[in-house]
Amino acid sequence: MRKRGSLQFEANQALENMKAFGRSRDADKKAGVTKDKIYTYKTMRTYQHQAGRFIEWVRGQDENKKTKTLEQSREWVDAYIQHMKDRGDKAASQATAAASLAKLFQCSKSDFAPTDPVRRVDIERSRNEVPSDNRFSEEKNRDLVDVCKATGLRRCEVSALRPDWLRGDAQAGFRLSIPPGIAKGGRPRELPIRGETAAKAVEVIRRTFAGNRVFPRVHTHADIHAYRAEYANSYYRELARDVRTLHRSERYDCRKDKAGIHYDRAAMKAVSEALGHTRVSVIASNYLM
């Protein structure tokens, strides 16, 4: 007889079998072999957490205990998404759950019932003041803030930042070279140090002893995403041409709640690469104002 916890074990095992930590997601994407792979520990934890919540809900609904295998539990996904909607879960939470279950069942999110659309106006963190902002002092963490605003690094990258990542000089301009295995997807990249705090950021990085991390601890309530957005907007303004002079193919036309706003596609591409993204649509919806 199967044990009560076997569904959870089966789900965890299925996800563990997709572990591809350290592999190049970029190379796998070009080869078209990313569907059954998970590239970071954080992503794995997210998928496992979402799968666990789904299975616990299935157990509570399946009064006759007919769901014995992971494959059988697939039938409950649409009802689970509806349950999330009914209890008022945010669209972003629905989307995360759907993406996690799509990975678990090796299918597409479009195979499930649709989740609510994620709208920019509903995103509270990094766009408006939230309670956690009151627990973080920018003055007491000035070095951290200056570096984040000048580099647009992710939290995991800020935590790993070392002085030997610094490249360039005052004449040619400074940049950071992020080694493989640090950034999202494990991709190495180089990004320019820009903005009003660029000189201060370089000073903070330079004065760190070789081999040490620049920030041994990154404050939990530091709104890193907001600083990434500030970097993205500053760098975009530096590069952007007048969109009125651009051919349609050189222009990015926003949709939905940003309809009517146009961006310079080439500038967006440069900013997107600096942030570690591959699609310009990501910075249009989540970074640029």
Side-chain angles (χ1 to χ4, degrees):
M1 181 179 292
R2 294 173 66 87
K3 295 181 179 179
R4 180 173 174 78
S6 59
L7 264 183
Q8 182 66 67
F9 175 81
E10 193 178 347
N12 284 340
Q13 195 62 48
L15 293 170
E16 284 286 339
N17 290 341
M18 300 181 209
K19 186 161 58 177
F21 301 168
R23 282 179 64 100
S24 170
R25 186 177 183 276
D26 239 10
D28 283 350
K29 190 172 183 179
K30 291 175 182 176
V33 292
T34 59
K35 185 177 180 181
D36 62 346
K37 293 179 176 59
I38 299 172
Y39 294 89
T40 68
Y41 176 74
K42 183 178 179 181
T43 303
M44 175 69 78
R45 288 290 302 272
T46 297
Y47 287 165
Q48 289 176 333
H49 175 69
Q50 293 293 334
R53 295 184 65 178
F54 166 68
I55 288 169
E56 282 301 311
W57 180 82
V58 170
R59 285 173 177 160
Q61 299 297 308
D62 186 19
E63 297 179 356
N64 298 320
K65 311 302 177 190
K66 291 183 178 181
T67 306
K68 304 294 185 182
T69 67
L70 188 61
E71 184 179 354
Q72 291 172 339
S73 70
R74 164 70 176 78
E75 302 174 3
W76 292 90
V77 176
D78 287 355
Y80 180 65
I81 291 174
Q82 186 58 52
H83 164 70
M84 295 184 74
K85 292 181 178 181
D86 293 342
R87 73 183 179 190
D89 286 17
K90 292 183 179 180
S93 298
Q94 298 172 31
T96 299
S100 301
L101 296 177
K103 178 65 73 172
L104 176 64
F105 293 111
Q106 286 294 279
C107 62
S108 169
K109 282 199 305 181
S110 60
D111 294 330
F112 303 149
T115 58
D116 291 333
V118 178
R119 303 182 305 167
R120 292 177 71 256
V121 294
D122 295 331
I123 302 175
E124 297 175 359
R125 184 68 169 143
S126 303
R127 298 193 185 280
N128 308 296
E129 287 191 10
V130 293
S132 59
D133 292 334
N134 297 325
R135 297 193 287 271
F136 177 75
S137 168
E138 290 198 339
E139 284 306 312
K140 293 180 180 178
N141 295 275
R142 179 49 54 191
D143 287 352
L144 172 66
V145 173
D146 287 344
V147 169
C148 288
K149 287 183 176 182
T151 61
L153 293 174
R154 295 183 173 96
R155 181 177 291 274
C156 63
E157 296 163 352
V158 178
S159 298
L161 177 60
R162 296 178 186 275
D164 60 358
W165 292 12
L166 189 64
R167 301 284 189 274
D169 53 44
Q171 185 173 357
F174 289 98
R175 65 190 188 279
L176 290 180
S177 180
I178 302 178
I182 302 294
K184 185 177 182 180
R187 296 187 302 273
R189 78 178 190 279
E190 289 204 352
L191 61 93
I193 299 177
R194 289 288 190 271
E196 295 179 359
T197 65
K200 294 179 181 178
V202 170
E203 179 187 343
V204 170
I205 296 170
R206 274 181 160 174
R207 71 175 182 233
T208 305
F209 288 113
N212 289 352
R213 289 185 296 165
V214 177
F215 300 107
R217 177 181 177 274
V218 178
H219 199 292
T220 305
H221 297 296
D223 193 351
I224 304 299
H225 188 79
Y227 302 136
R228 275 170 64 76
E230 187 167 333
Y231 171 85
N233 281 275
S234 175
Y235 189 27
Y236 174 80
R237 287 193 296 270
E238 179 184 331
L239 300 175
R241 299 166 291 177
D242 186 344
V243 292
R244 294 172 297 182
T245 67
L246 302 179
H247 185 272
R248 186 174 180 180
S249 63
E250 299 177 288
R251 198 178 65 211
Y252 181 93
D253 302 324
C254 296
R255 300 177 180 179
K256 297 182 178 179
D257 59 321
K258 293 186 73 174
I261 297 176
H262 310 284
Y263 294 120
D264 178 347
R265 188 179 287 273
M268 290 177 73
K269 187 175 187 296
V271 174
S272 181
E273 290 174 350
L275 290 174
H277 288 293
T278 55
R279 293 175 295 143
V280 296
S281 59
V282 174
I283 66 165
S285 60
N286 295 304
Y287 294 95
L288 298 182
M289 302 301 289

